[in-house]
Amino acid sequence: MKQFALLFYLDISSENQPDETTMASYMRDWNAWTTELSASGKLQGGNHFGPQAATIQSDGSISYKPVSNLNLSIAGYLVIGATDLTEAMQAAQKCPILKGEGNWVEVREIA
């Protein structure tokens, strides 16, 4: 079985922020989804990222904030086991983060 990282990108623009009720629904769906991944033996780890970050560029400049591009910010990751990219994509397509407008899930094989 191969390992794949699921990287979660959230739209951080103010017009796409969920209200409290929607966020509570997303969290219930998230917990159900990760429980399903765990029960199937696919879930191997993961975590969310906190707000504190720093970036170092090739010219040596340092920025004390997360990288965001096109109003997207990486929120966290899961590591799952799957036989191939297709199986990993099938698991990722069920991710509740995709219910949020403008959100992405990137699937990358871990070498």
Side-chain angles (χ1 to χ4, degrees), residues 9-27 29 71 96-103:
Y9 293 86
L10 301 180
D11 184 337
I12 57 174
S13 61
S14 59
E15 64 269 9
N16 285 329
Q17 297 307 301
D19 60 31
E20 282 186 41
T21 303
T22 303
M23 181 58 81
S25 174
Y26 287 168
M27 292 309 298
D29 293 347
N71 291 325
I97 282 177
L98 296 172
K99 293 180 180 183
E101 177 118 11
N103 295 345

Side-chain angles (χ1 to χ4, degrees), residues 3-10 30 33-34 37 42-50 73-81 92 95 97 104-110:
Q3 287 188 313
F4 293 86
L6 309 183
L7 305 171
F8 306 113
Y9 293 86
L10 301 180
W30 174 267
W33 180 63
T34 56
L37 287 173
K42 289 183 170 82
L43 184 60
Q44 297 182 1
N47 215 327
H48 66 279
F49 296 120
S73 179
I74 188 165
Y77 67 97
L78 291 179
V79 175
I80 66 167
C95 178
I97 282 177
W104 300 357
V105 177
E106 180 179 2
V107 181
R108 303 282 303 261
E109 185 174 352
I110 298 173

